[in-house]
mmCIF file of all heavy atoms in Angstrom:
data_model
loop_
_atom_site.group_PDB
_atom_site.id
_atom_site.type_symbol
_atom_site.label_atom_id
_atom_site.label_comp_id
_atom_site.label_asym_id
_atom_site.label_seq_id
_atom_site.Cartn_x
_atom_site.Cartn_y
_atom_site.Cartn_z
ATOM 1 N N PHE G 53 5.762 -0.156 9.770
ATOM 2 C CA PHE G 53 5.800 -0.610 8.388
ATOM 3 C C PHE G 53 5.701 -2.153 8.326
ATOM 4 O O PHE G 53 6.620 -2.829 8.688
ATOM 5 C CB PHE G 53 7.025 -0.071 7.698
ATOM 6 C CG PHE G 53 6.836 1.316 7.162
ATOM 7 C CD1 PHE G 53 6.540 2.346 8.073
ATOM 8 C CD2 PHE G 53 6.894 1.595 5.796
ATOM 9 C CE1 PHE G 53 6.328 3.639 7.605
ATOM 10 C CE2 PHE G 53 6.711 2.914 5.304
ATOM 11 C CZ PHE G 53 6.411 3.899 6.221
ATOM 12 N N GLU G 55 5.114 -3.619 5.566
ATOM 13 C CA GLU G 55 5.558 -3.901 4.227
ATOM 14 C C GLU G 55 6.849 -3.149 3.996
ATOM 15 O O GLU G 55 7.032 -2.077 4.657
ATOM 16 C CB GLU G 55 4.465 -3.413 3.226
ATOM 17 C CG GLU G 55 4.548 -3.939 1.833
ATOM 18 C CD GLU G 55 3.639 -3.163 0.864
ATOM 19 O OE1 GLU G 55 2.442 -3.457 0.844
ATOM 20 O OE2 GLU G 55 4.161 -2.255 0.203
ATOM 21 N N SER G 56 7.699 -3.628 3.100
ATOM 22 C CA SER G 56 9.020 -3.043 2.949
ATOM 23 C C SER G 56 8.939 -1.594 2.364
ATOM 24 O O SER G 56 7.968 -1.238 1.676
ATOM 25 C CB SER G 56 9.921 -3.918 2.140
ATOM 26 O OG SER G 56 9.208 -4.353 1.007
ATOM 27 N N SER G 57 9.997 -0.828 2.684
ATOM 28 C CA SER G 57 10.018 0.560 2.222
ATOM 29 C C SER G 57 11.486 1.074 2.361
ATOM 30 O O SER G 57 12.139 0.687 3.314
ATOM 31 C CB SER G 57 9.114 1.399 3.106
ATOM 32 O OG SER G 57 9.387 2.789 2.920
ATOM 33 N N THR G 58 11.887 1.866 1.391
ATOM 34 C CA THR G 58 13.208 2.531 1.578
ATOM 35 C C THR G 58 12.904 4.019 1.790
ATOM 36 O O THR G 58 13.175 4.566 2.841
ATOM 37 C CB THR G 58 14.050 2.377 0.283
ATOM 38 O OG1 THR G 58 14.242 0.995 0.060
ATOM 39 C CG2 THR G 58 15.407 3.077 0.459
ATOM 40 N N ARG G 59 12.297 4.665 0.731
ATOM 41 C CA ARG G 59 12.160 6.113 0.753
ATOM 42 C C ARG G 59 11.122 6.588 1.787
ATOM 43 O O ARG G 59 11.431 7.512 2.589
ATOM 44 C CB ARG G 59 11.642 6.601 -0.613
ATOM 45 C CG ARG G 59 12.607 6.468 -1.669
ATOM 46 C CD ARG G 59 11.961 6.442 -3.019
ATOM 47 N NE ARG G 59 12.889 5.951 -4.001
ATOM 48 C CZ ARG G 59 13.296 4.652 -4.100
ATOM 49 N NH1 ARG G 59 12.802 3.740 -3.342
ATOM 50 N NH2 ARG G 59 14.239 4.365 -5.018
ATOM 51 N N THR G 60 9.947 5.969 1.794
ATOM 52 C CA THR G 60 8.854 6.523 2.596
ATOM 53 C C THR G 60 9.176 6.511 4.077
ATOM 54 O O THR G 60 8.990 7.500 4.767
ATOM 55 C CB THR G 60 7.515 5.769 2.256
ATOM 56 O OG1 THR G 60 7.385 5.816 0.847
ATOM 57 C CG2 THR G 60 6.331 6.435 2.912
ATOM 58 N N ARG G 61 9.664 5.371 4.543
ATOM 59 C CA ARG G 61 9.906 5.276 5.994
ATOM 60 C C ARG G 61 11.010 6.207 6.416
ATOM 61 O O ARG G 61 10.845 6.975 7.374
ATOM 62 C CB ARG G 61 10.236 3.826 6.378
ATOM 63 C CG ARG G 61 9.877 3.545 7.869
ATOM 64 C CD ARG G 61 10.693 2.412 8.462
ATOM 65 N NE ARG G 61 12.132 2.592 8.306
ATOM 66 C CZ ARG G 61 12.872 3.510 9.009
ATOM 67 N NH1 ARG G 61 12.247 4.280 9.875
ATOM 68 N NH2 ARG G 61 14.188 3.576 8.750
ATOM 69 N N ARG G 109 2.081 1.445 7.159
ATOM 70 C CA ARG G 109 2.052 0.853 5.797
ATOM 71 C C ARG G 109 1.682 -0.610 5.927
ATOM 72 O O ARG G 109 2.241 -1.353 6.811
ATOM 73 C CB ARG G 109 3.405 0.991 5.143
ATOM 74 C CG ARG G 109 3.511 0.162 3.825
ATOM 75 C CD ARG G 109 4.764 0.483 3.039
ATOM 76 N NE ARG G 109 4.654 1.717 2.337
ATOM 77 C CZ ARG G 109 5.503 2.094 1.385
ATOM 78 N NH1 ARG G 109 6.481 1.282 1.031
ATOM 79 N NH2 ARG G 109 5.426 3.268 0.813
ATOM 80 N N ALA G 135 0.762 5.321 5.048
ATOM 81 C CA ALA G 135 1.977 5.418 4.254
ATOM 82 C C ALA G 135 1.973 4.388 3.124
ATOM 83 O O ALA G 135 3.003 4.002 2.571
ATOM 84 C CB ALA G 135 3.209 5.158 5.138
ATOM 85 N N GLY G 136 0.726 3.982 2.754
ATOM 86 C CA GLY G 136 0.572 3.017 1.662
ATOM 87 C C GLY G 136 -0.133 1.752 2.100
ATOM 88 O O GLY G 136 0.339 1.104 2.997
ATOM 89 N N ASP G 137 -1.392 1.557 1.568
ATOM 90 C CA ASP G 137 -2.112 0.314 1.896
ATOM 91 C C ASP G 137 -2.549 -0.353 0.586
ATOM 92 O O ASP G 137 -3.343 0.133 -0.158
ATOM 93 C CB ASP G 137 -3.343 0.655 2.789
ATOM 94 C CG ASP G 137 -4.355 1.567 2.189
ATOM 95 O OD1 ASP G 137 -3.928 2.419 1.341
ATOM 96 O OD2 ASP G 137 -5.584 1.478 2.452
ATOM 97 N N GLY G 138 -2.022 -1.577 0.425
ATOM 98 C CA GLY G 138 -2.344 -2.342 -0.767
ATOM 99 C C GLY G 138 -2.321 -1.519 -2.055
ATOM 100 O O GLY G 138 -1.357 -0.772 -2.265
ATOM 101 N N PHE G 139 -3.368 -1.673 -2.897
ATOM 102 C CA PHE G 139 -3.409 -0.910 -4.126
ATOM 103 C C PHE G 139 -4.050 0.461 -3.872
ATOM 104 O O PHE G 139 -4.153 1.267 -4.791
ATOM 105 C CB PHE G 139 -4.291 -1.559 -5.190
ATOM 106 C CG PHE G 139 -3.947 -2.947 -5.619
ATOM 107 C CD1 PHE G 139 -4.798 -3.654 -6.465
ATOM 108 C CD2 PHE G 139 -2.820 -3.544 -5.236
ATOM 109 C CE1 PHE G 139 -4.496 -4.910 -6.862
ATOM 110 C CE2 PHE G 139 -2.493 -4.821 -5.577
ATOM 111 C CZ PHE G 139 -3.328 -5.535 -6.422
ATOM 112 N N SER G 141 -4.047 3.429 -1.617
ATOM 113 C CA SER G 141 -3.802 4.831 -1.373
ATOM 114 C C SER G 141 -2.405 5.074 -0.815
ATOM 115 O O SER G 141 -1.899 4.261 -0.001
ATOM 116 C CB SER G 141 -4.871 5.399 -0.398
ATOM 117 O OG SER G 141 -4.558 6.648 0.103
ATOM 118 N N HIS G 142 -1.763 6.168 -1.185
ATOM 119 C CA HIS G 142 -0.431 6.574 -0.694
ATOM 120 C C HIS G 142 -0.439 8.086 -0.690
ATOM 121 O O HIS G 142 0.195 8.720 -1.546
ATOM 122 C CB HIS G 142 0.627 5.920 -1.621
ATOM 123 C CG HIS G 142 2.028 6.009 -1.109
ATOM 124 N ND1 HIS G 142 2.393 6.761 0.001
ATOM 125 C CD2 HIS G 142 3.144 5.412 -1.587
ATOM 126 C CE1 HIS G 142 3.688 6.561 0.229
ATOM 127 N NE2 HIS G 142 4.191 5.809 -0.773
ATOM 128 N N SER G 144 0.837 10.607 1.063
ATOM 129 C CA SER G 144 1.991 11.497 1.175
ATOM 130 C C SER G 144 2.786 11.497 -0.166
ATOM 131 O O SER G 144 3.336 12.528 -0.560
ATOM 132 C CB SER G 144 2.939 11.098 2.321
ATOM 133 O OG SER G 144 3.477 9.816 2.124
ATOM 134 N N GLN G 145 2.751 10.363 -0.877
ATOM 135 C CA GLN G 145 3.380 10.337 -2.212
ATOM 136 C C GLN G 145 2.636 11.221 -3.218
ATOM 137 O O GLN G 145 3.235 12.014 -3.951
ATOM 138 C CB GLN G 145 3.509 8.889 -2.705
ATOM 139 C CG GLN G 145 4.223 8.725 -4.063
ATOM 140 C CD GLN G 145 5.734 8.934 -3.978
ATOM 141 O OE1 GLN G 145 6.340 8.463 -3.019
ATOM 142 N NE2 GLN G 145 6.286 9.653 -4.941
ATOM 143 N N LEU G 148 3.531 14.817 -2.320
ATOM 144 C CA LEU G 148 4.905 15.216 -2.719
ATOM 145 C C LEU G 148 5.025 15.300 -4.196
ATOM 146 O O LEU G 148 5.747 16.157 -4.754
ATOM 147 C CB LEU G 148 5.998 14.340 -2.067
ATOM 148 C CG LEU G 148 6.257 12.940 -2.606
ATOM 149 C CD1 LEU G 148 7.297 12.942 -3.699
ATOM 150 C CD2 LEU G 148 6.758 12.045 -1.460
ATOM 151 N N ASP G 149 4.334 14.414 -4.954
ATOM 152 C CA ASP G 149 4.289 14.537 -6.411
ATOM 153 C C ASP G 149 3.656 15.855 -6.797
ATOM 154 O O ASP G 149 4.111 16.556 -7.741
ATOM 155 C CB ASP G 149 3.582 13.359 -7.025
ATOM 156 C CG ASP G 149 4.384 12.042 -6.880
ATOM 157 O OD1 ASP G 149 5.582 12.123 -6.551
ATOM 158 O OD2 ASP G 149 3.774 10.972 -7.010
ATOM 159 N N ASP G 177 1.939 0.571 -14.968
ATOM 160 C CA ASP G 177 1.160 -0.385 -14.160
ATOM 161 C C ASP G 177 0.227 0.383 -13.167
ATOM 162 O O ASP G 177 0.475 0.498 -12.034
ATOM 163 C CB ASP G 177 2.158 -1.273 -13.395
ATOM 164 C CG ASP G 177 1.408 -2.365 -12.621
ATOM 165 O OD1 ASP G 177 0.160 -2.422 -12.694
ATOM 166 O OD2 ASP G 177 2.129 -3.124 -11.881
ATOM 167 N N HIS G 180 -2.038 -1.805 -10.267
ATOM 168 C CA HIS G 180 -1.429 -2.185 -8.931
ATOM 169 C C HIS G 180 -0.905 -1.031 -8.158
ATOM 170 O O HIS G 180 -0.223 -1.176 -7.168
ATOM 171 C CB HIS G 180 -0.347 -3.229 -9.157
ATOM 172 C CG HIS G 180 -0.786 -4.432 -9.842
ATOM 173 N ND1 HIS G 180 -0.550 -4.675 -11.150
ATOM 174 C CD2 HIS G 180 -1.557 -5.473 -9.415
ATOM 175 C CE1 HIS G 180 -1.141 -5.856 -11.539
ATOM 176 N NE2 HIS G 180 -1.746 -6.358 -10.468
ATOM 177 N N SER G 181 -1.145 0.236 -8.654
ATOM 178 C CA SER G 181 -0.433 1.354 -8.075
ATOM 179 C C SER G 181 -1.326 2.233 -7.192
ATOM 180 O O SER G 181 -2.207 2.975 -7.621
ATOM 181 C CB SER G 181 0.137 2.208 -9.211
ATOM 182 O OG SER G 181 0.764 3.345 -8.615
ATOM 183 N N ARG G 182 -0.988 2.230 -5.865
ATOM 184 C CA ARG G 182 -1.640 3.187 -4.955
ATOM 185 C C ARG G 182 -1.161 4.595 -5.228
ATOM 186 O O ARG G 182 -1.825 5.591 -4.946
ATOM 187 C CB ARG G 182 -1.401 2.728 -3.514
ATOM 188 C CG ARG G 182 0.108 2.541 -3.211
ATOM 189 C CD ARG G 182 0.307 1.766 -1.935
ATOM 190 N NE ARG G 182 1.713 1.494 -1.639
ATOM 191 C CZ ARG G 182 2.110 0.481 -0.902
ATOM 192 N NH1 ARG G 182 1.221 -0.361 -0.421
ATOM 193 N NH2 ARG G 182 3.370 0.316 -0.630
ATOM 194 N N VAL G 183 0.083 4.706 -5.785
ATOM 195 C CA VAL G 183 0.604 6.035 -6.111
ATOM 196 C C VAL G 183 -0.263 6.660 -7.178
ATOM 197 O O VAL G 183 -0.672 7.829 -7.124
ATOM 198 C CB VAL G 183 2.104 5.950 -6.577
ATOM 199 C CG1 VAL G 183 2.561 7.313 -6.983
ATOM 200 C CG2 VAL G 183 2.944 5.387 -5.425
ATOM 201 N N ALA G 184 -0.561 5.865 -8.260
ATOM 202 C CA ALA G 184 -1.375 6.380 -9.349
ATOM 203 C C ALA G 184 -2.747 6.820 -8.814
ATOM 204 O O ALA G 184 -3.264 7.946 -9.150
ATOM 205 C CB ALA G 184 -1.548 5.348 -10.463
ATOM 206 N N THR G 251 5.918 7.954 -14.702
ATOM 207 C CA THR G 251 5.929 6.538 -14.988
ATOM 208 C C THR G 251 6.033 5.742 -13.669
ATOM 209 O O THR G 251 6.396 6.284 -12.666
ATOM 210 C CB THR G 251 7.052 6.131 -16.009
ATOM 211 O OG1 THR G 251 7.100 4.725 -16.134
ATOM 212 C CG2 THR G 251 8.410 6.604 -15.508
ATOM 213 N N LEU G 252 5.535 4.507 -13.691
ATOM 214 C CA LEU G 252 5.401 3.737 -12.451
ATOM 215 C C LEU G 252 6.120 2.428 -12.560
ATOM 216 O O LEU G 252 6.269 1.855 -13.649
ATOM 217 C CB LEU G 252 3.906 3.414 -12.251
ATOM 218 C CG LEU G 252 2.980 4.642 -12.110
ATOM 219 C CD1 LEU G 252 1.537 4.194 -12.279
ATOM 220 C CD2 LEU G 252 3.166 5.327 -10.793
ATOM 221 N N ARG G 253 6.523 1.893 -11.390
ATOM 222 C CA ARG G 253 7.201 0.588 -11.398
ATOM 223 C C ARG G 253 6.215 -0.495 -11.827
ATOM 224 O O ARG G 253 5.037 -0.439 -11.462
ATOM 225 C CB ARG G 253 7.683 0.336 -9.982
ATOM 226 C CG ARG G 253 8.514 -0.946 -9.790
ATOM 227 C CD ARG G 253 9.059 -0.927 -8.368
ATOM 228 N NE ARG G 253 7.971 -1.064 -7.416
ATOM 229 C CZ ARG G 253 7.549 -2.184 -6.903
ATOM 230 N NH1 ARG G 253 8.014 -3.355 -7.338
ATOM 231 N NH2 ARG G 253 6.583 -2.219 -6.004
ATOM 232 N N LEU G 254 6.778 -1.430 -12.594
ATOM 233 C CA LEU G 254 5.970 -2.608 -12.904
ATOM 234 C C LEU G 254 5.984 -3.440 -11.612
ATOM 235 O O LEU G 254 6.971 -3.982 -11.258
ATOM 236 C CB LEU G 254 6.713 -3.349 -14.006
ATOM 237 C CG LEU G 254 5.935 -4.193 -14.990
ATOM 238 C CD1 LEU G 254 4.798 -3.482 -15.613
ATOM 239 C CD2 LEU G 254 6.871 -4.673 -16.087
ATOM 240 N N GLN G 255 4.810 -3.464 -10.956
ATOM 241 C CA GLN G 255 4.798 -4.052 -9.596
ATOM 242 C C GLN G 255 4.576 -5.596 -9.630
ATOM 243 O O GLN G 255 3.484 -6.093 -9.310
ATOM 244 C CB GLN G 255 3.718 -3.329 -8.758
ATOM 245 C CG GLN G 255 4.147 -1.895 -8.507
ATOM 246 C CD GLN G 255 2.957 -0.933 -8.497
ATOM 247 O OE1 GLN G 255 2.335 -0.792 -7.460
ATOM 248 N NE2 GLN G 255 2.710 -0.315 -9.631
ATOM 249 N N LYS G 256 5.632 -6.278 -10.028
ATOM 250 C CA LYS G 256 5.550 -7.709 -10.311
ATOM 251 C C LYS G 256 5.029 -8.501 -9.082
ATOM 252 O O LYS G 256 4.305 -9.540 -9.229
ATOM 253 C CB LYS G 256 6.918 -8.268 -10.788
ATOM 254 C CG LYS G 256 7.194 -7.826 -12.186
ATOM 255 C CD LYS G 256 8.561 -8.289 -12.629
ATOM 256 C CE LYS G 256 9.503 -7.130 -12.866
ATOM 257 N NZ LYS G 256 10.844 -7.231 -12.451
ATOM 258 N N GLU G 257 5.416 -8.059 -7.876
ATOM 259 C CA GLU G 257 5.011 -8.823 -6.706
ATOM 260 C C GLU G 257 3.510 -8.808 -6.471
ATOM 261 O O GLU G 257 2.956 -9.552 -5.681
ATOM 262 C CB GLU G 257 5.789 -8.306 -5.440
ATOM 263 C CG GLU G 257 5.286 -6.989 -4.838
ATOM 264 C CD GLU G 257 5.713 -5.735 -5.554
ATOM 265 O OE1 GLU G 257 6.271 -5.828 -6.693
ATOM 266 O OE2 GLU G 257 5.467 -4.627 -5.003
ATOM 267 N N ARG G 258 2.830 -7.850 -7.165
ATOM 268 C CA ARG G 258 1.364 -7.718 -6.953
ATOM 269 C C ARG G 258 0.567 -8.374 -8.098
ATOM 270 O O ARG G 258 -0.659 -8.258 -8.143
ATOM 271 C CB ARG G 258 0.964 -6.258 -6.842
ATOM 272 C CG ARG G 258 1.645 -5.616 -5.643
ATOM 273 C CD ARG G 258 1.074 -4.260 -5.413
ATOM 274 N NE ARG G 258 1.641 -3.725 -4.172
ATOM 275 C CZ ARG G 258 2.006 -2.508 -3.943
ATOM 276 N NH1 ARG G 258 1.920 -1.602 -4.942
ATOM 277 N NH2 ARG G 258 2.480 -2.142 -2.793
ATOM 278 N N HIS G 292 8.920 9.605 -11.248
ATOM 279 C CA HIS G 292 8.769 8.203 -10.933
ATOM 280 C C HIS G 292 8.859 8.088 -9.389
ATOM 281 O O HIS G 292 9.772 8.682 -8.807
ATOM 282 C CB HIS G 292 9.897 7.402 -11.593
ATOM 283 C CG HIS G 292 9.760 5.890 -11.485
ATOM 284 N ND1 HIS G 292 9.593 5.235 -10.281
ATOM 285 C CD2 HIS G 292 9.735 4.904 -12.412
ATOM 286 C CE1 HIS G 292 9.460 3.925 -10.504
ATOM 287 N NE2 HIS G 292 9.584 3.689 -11.834
ATOM 288 N N PRO G 293 7.877 7.380 -8.745
ATOM 289 C CA PRO G 293 7.922 7.386 -7.266
ATOM 290 C C PRO G 293 9.043 6.540 -6.686
ATOM 291 O O PRO G 293 9.393 6.670 -5.509
ATOM 292 C CB PRO G 293 6.593 6.751 -6.916
ATOM 293 C CG PRO G 293 6.221 5.913 -8.108
ATOM 294 C CD PRO G 293 6.777 6.615 -9.323
ATOM 295 N N GLY G 294 9.699 5.649 -7.549
ATOM 296 C CA GLY G 294 10.678 4.756 -7.038
ATOM 297 C C GLY G 294 10.022 3.692 -6.197
ATOM 298 O O GLY G 294 8.904 3.902 -5.689
ATOM 299 N N PRO G 295 10.639 2.555 -5.981
ATOM 300 C CA PRO G 295 11.905 2.120 -6.595
ATOM 301 C C PRO G 295 11.750 1.881 -8.118
ATOM 302 O O PRO G 295 10.654 1.556 -8.587
ATOM 303 C CB PRO G 295 12.206 0.800 -5.848
ATOM 304 C CG PRO G 295 10.908 0.316 -5.288
ATOM 305 C CD PRO G 295 10.036 1.546 -5.100
ATOM 306 N N VAL G 296 12.876 2.018 -8.817
ATOM 307 C CA VAL G 296 12.802 1.964 -10.298
ATOM 308 C C VAL G 296 13.330 0.611 -10.782
ATOM 309 O O VAL G 296 14.303 0.093 -10.212
ATOM 310 C CB VAL G 296 13.735 3.140 -10.850
ATOM 311 C CG1 VAL G 296 13.943 2.955 -12.336
ATOM 312 C CG2 VAL G 296 13.120 4.447 -10.526
ATOM 313 N N ASN G 297 12.710 0.076 -11.832
ATOM 314 C CA ASN G 297 13.315 -1.060 -12.554
ATOM 315 C C ASN G 297 13.933 -0.456 -13.779
ATOM 316 O O ASN G 297 13.238 -0.203 -14.803
ATOM 317 C CB ASN G 297 12.203 -2.043 -13.011
ATOM 318 C CG ASN G 297 11.523 -2.741 -11.844
ATOM 319 O OD1 ASN G 297 10.347 -3.020 -11.883
ATOM 320 N ND2 ASN G 297 12.264 -3.054 -10.810
ATOM 321 N N GLU G 301 10.430 0.181 -17.100
ATOM 322 C CA GLU G 301 9.463 1.325 -17.348
ATOM 323 C C GLU G 301 10.179 2.567 -17.730
ATOM 324 O O GLU G 301 9.525 3.549 -18.210
ATOM 325 C CB GLU G 301 8.604 1.515 -16.078
ATOM 326 C CG GLU G 301 9.285 1.986 -14.826
ATOM 327 C CD GLU G 301 9.728 0.849 -13.890
ATOM 328 O OE1 GLU G 301 9.541 -0.287 -14.316
ATOM 329 O OE2 GLU G 301 10.269 1.151 -12.845
ATOM 330 N N GLN G 318 11.640 14.647 -6.230
ATOM 331 C CA GLN G 318 10.560 13.950 -5.515
ATOM 332 C C GLN G 318 11.077 13.473 -4.158
ATOM 333 O O GLN G 318 10.381 13.651 -3.126
ATOM 334 C CB GLN G 318 10.051 12.765 -6.319
ATOM 335 C CG GLN G 318 9.239 13.125 -7.528
ATOM 336 C CD GLN G 318 8.904 11.950 -8.407
ATOM 337 O OE1 GLN G 318 9.756 11.502 -9.196
ATOM 338 N NE2 GLN G 318 7.736 11.370 -8.227
ATOM 339 N N VAL G 319 12.285 12.897 -4.182
ATOM 340 C CA VAL G 319 12.784 12.358 -2.880
ATOM 341 C C VAL G 319 13.025 13.483 -1.928
ATOM 342 O O VAL G 319 12.645 13.431 -0.757
ATOM 343 C CB VAL G 319 14.096 11.526 -3.146
ATOM 344 C CG1 VAL G 319 14.727 11.142 -1.807
ATOM 345 C CG2 VAL G 319 13.804 10.341 -3.960
ATOM 346 N N ARG G 326 6.187 15.805 4.113
ATOM 347 C CA ARG G 326 5.801 14.975 5.239
ATOM 348 C C ARG G 326 5.849 15.759 6.540
ATOM 349 O O ARG G 326 5.080 15.539 7.460
ATOM 350 C CB ARG G 326 6.629 13.700 5.287
ATOM 351 C CG ARG G 326 6.257 12.798 4.073
ATOM 352 C CD ARG G 326 7.020 11.540 3.987
ATOM 353 N NE ARG G 326 6.432 10.739 2.993
ATOM 354 C CZ ARG G 326 7.012 10.281 1.841
ATOM 355 N NH1 ARG G 326 8.273 10.654 1.576
ATOM 356 N NH2 ARG G 326 6.324 9.518 0.985
HETATM 357 C C1 NCD U 1 5.693 3.201 -4.040
HETATM 358 C C2 NCD U 1 4.880 2.363 -3.064
HETATM 359 O O1 NCD U 1 5.419 1.720 -2.214
HETATM 360 O O2 NCD U 1 3.691 2.392 -3.228
HETATM 361 N N1 NCD U 1 6.927 3.544 -3.609
HETATM 362 C C3 NCD U 1 7.102 4.597 -2.756
HETATM 363 O O3 NCD U 1 6.464 4.676 -1.755
HETATM 364 N N2 NCD U 1 7.977 5.581 -3.108
HETATM 365 C C4 NCD U 1 5.709 2.673 -5.407
HETATM 366 C C5 NCD U 1 6.135 1.240 -5.694
HETATM 367 O O4 NCD U 1 6.213 0.403 -4.780
HETATM 368 O O5 NCD U 1 6.354 1.015 -6.862
#
Side-chain angles (χ1 to χ4, degrees):
F53 277 60
E55 196 194 277
S56 45
S57 166
T58 302
R59 291 157 195 75
T60 307
R61 205 205 54 73
R109 170 171 284 192
D137 62 330
F139 303 172
S141 169
H142 191 350
S144 64
Q145 182 73 41
L148 75 88
D149 290 343
D177 184 2
H180 300 102
S181 177
R182 52 196 177 206
V183 176
T251 173
L252 301 164
R253 186 171 65 91
L254 207 52
Q255 293 145 83
K256 286 179 247 141
E257 79 280 10
R258 298 188 174 141
H292 188 307
V296 169
N297 294 144
E301 67 266 5
Q318 288 172 278
V319 173
R326 292 179 169 117

